[in-house]
Amino acid sequence: MSTDVAVVLLFTLAGFLIGGAYTTWKTTRPLAISLGVGALLAVAGAVLWLL
């Protein structure tokens, strides 16, 4: 897999996780927090992979 493809997929995953965290914030806060942490990890992985 190309480096560019992996970075784009990680950013896409982060976007979906952020959307899920935003959607579930009012109903299930612990799940929203865990989705937000997963999104931060995906973004960090993409940035580190890009370097």
Side-chain angles (χ1 to χ4, degrees):
M1 176 176 351
S2 172
T3 302
D4 296 334
V5 173
V7 169
V8 168
L9 288 176
L10 281 171
F11 278 127
T12 303
L13 175 64
F16 279 115
L17 290 173
I18 289 171
Y22 180 77
T23 302
T24 60
W25 180 253
K26 291 209 175 201
T27 58
T28 328
R29 293 233 170 140
L31 177 62
I33 291 169
S34 65
L35 288 173
V37 169
L40 288 176
L41 289 173
V43 168
V47 169
L48 289 175
W49 200 320
L50 197 59
L51 298 176

